[in-house]
Amino acid sequence: MESTYIKLGVNIDHSATVRQARYREHPLDRGQMVEPDPVEVALRCQSAGADAITMHLREDRRHIQDSDVYRMREMIQVPLNLEMACTDEMRDIALEVKPEVVLLVPEGRSEVTTEGGLNLLANRVAVGDLIRDLTEGGIATSLFIDPDPQQIQAAAQLGAEYIELHTGAYAHSVYNGTLPAEYDRLAKAAVIAHDAGLYVNAGHGINYSNITTLRKLPHLYEMNIGHSIISRALLTGIEAAVRDMKILMNGQWR
Ligand code: PXP
């Protein structure tokens, strides 16, 4: 019988975004204060029950750096999902790092975060070659795609093990009134993917509000969530952070 437990992959990219905002120019390997360390964030996510850690090494290195990926591989015990574009450079890094899963995404330099799913119909050969190389290297592949039956069939034909359904349109639909239609699209896509033998993951824009509906999608294996968890951590952690600084300033809290 299929398990109803949905795994949580925590995407820690935004912790690196905060680090880069202050320490972009400073080396990460000299033992000096460079905060926050995404690896430490990931270890805390792991202790809190995260089932996997996701990190996106972007071509422009705007948040995660190469050294973060290598350190993460060494330090965490839960599976590592390495999110990346379909390029030779990224393939070579993945084959060296050996994450449990590579999550292939389209990448646009002007986007703030990943905006659309892969177009597998237009990129069959490139994606197929990459999946073959990763498979030979012992790495499973997940394809980030829109909830579109044609893309799902292509993902299965290309030999991917997982798809990640792009939930961004659903997350946005809360604000433009197309919610039921977007949910329906995701639910149908999940059934088609499951029937095609794919593990069904979901990600993008999932938050503490829409999770109550999205968790009902059929056949969900894993959800990848970043922004909302990092945002919540700011709220749940801010009181201790202020108290700690006051104690360092004055030797006491009050
Ligand atoms: N899945 C993919 C493929 C992504 O690109 C992202 C964003 O980096 C996420 C999941 C996580 O999205 P969010 O930060 O909105 O939770």
Side-chain angles (χ1 to χ4, degrees):
M1 205 175 102
E2 199 177 357
S3 160
T4 52
Y5 177 79
I6 305 166
K7 290 177 190 282
L8 170 62
V10 181
N11 179 316
I12 50 74
D13 293 347
H14 289 301
S15 65
T17 303
V18 175
R19 179 193 62 198
Q20 296 305 96
R22 173 52 53 95
Y23 294 103
R24 184 178 298 276
E25 307 299 331
H26 297 293
L28 303 176
D29 57 357
R30 307 250 171 103
Q32 271 135 5
M33 167 68 98
V34 174
E35 64 181 355
D37 177 1
V39 176
E40 192 182 335
V41 172
L43 289 171
R44 289 179 188 225
C45 293
Q46 180 180 276
S47 339
D51 300 293
I53 297 296
T54 302
M55 63 198 310
H56 185 175
L57 184 66
R58 294 188 74 103
E59 290 181 88
D60 63 9
R61 309 303 200 264
R62 72 175 68 159
H63 42 50
I64 296 296
Q65 305 299 301
D66 296 56
S67 59
D68 295 327
V69 178
Y70 287 92
R71 285 189 309 122
M72 192 71 83
R73 171 72 294 178
E74 287 298 305
M75 298 293 288
I76 61 169
Q77 265 89 54
V78 292
L80 175 62
N81 293 329
L82 181 59
E83 183 177 337
M84 61 181 225
C86 306
T87 66
D88 290 349
E89 182 202 15
M90 290 299 154
R91 178 204 54 211
D92 293 348
I93 292 173
L95 289 173
E96 206 172 282
V97 171
K98 300 246 184 245
E100 278 72 14
V101 179
V102 158
L103 169 57
L104 293 177
V105 295
E107 212 173 275
R109 285 189 183 244
S110 58
E111 69 191 8
V112 175
T113 180
T114 310
E115 278 164 10
L118 285 166
N119 184 349
L120 299 178
L121 307 179
N123 297 288
R124 266 178 197 278
V125 175
V127 175
D129 286 352
L130 191 42
I131 294 176
R132 188 202 55 225
D133 291 349
L134 293 168
T135 307
E136 281 172 14
I139 303 167
T141 308
S142 180
L143 301 176
F144 184 55
I145 52 175
D146 293 328
D148 169 343
Q150 281 189 307
Q151 297 291 343
I152 295 164
Q153 296 301 354
Q157 285 160 8
L158 289 172
E161 208 167 317
Y162 304 81
I163 53 155
E164 181 169 313
L165 289 174
H166 191 332
T167 45
Y170 176 82
H172 286 302
S173 70
V174 171
Y175 305 94
N176 65 21
T178 55
L179 206 56
E182 289 301 338
Y183 181 85
D184 239 41
R185 232 154 66 88
L186 285 166
K188 286 188 180 129
V191 171
I192 294 169
H194 175 76
D195 290 349
L198 292 155
Y199 284 102
V200 182
N201 297 344
H204 207 91
I206 301 173
N207 60 34
Y208 291 87
S209 172
N210 62 29
I211 187 67
T212 50
T213 306
L214 285 174
R215 66 183 287 278
K216 295 181 187 147
L217 284 171
H219 309 302
L220 271 186
Y221 182 76
E222 181 174 280
M223 289 175 141
N224 276 309
I225 307 179
H227 185 272
S228 187
I229 289 178
I230 301 288
S231 303
R232 173 67 65 108
L234 281 178
L235 286 182
T236 54
I238 194 77
E239 291 174 25
V242 170
R243 270 197 296 271
D244 290 352
M245 187 55 84
K246 285 206 74 170
I247 290 167
L248 288 170
M249 286 164 69
N250 299 303
Q252 58 184 23
W253 175 34
R254 290 280 186 204

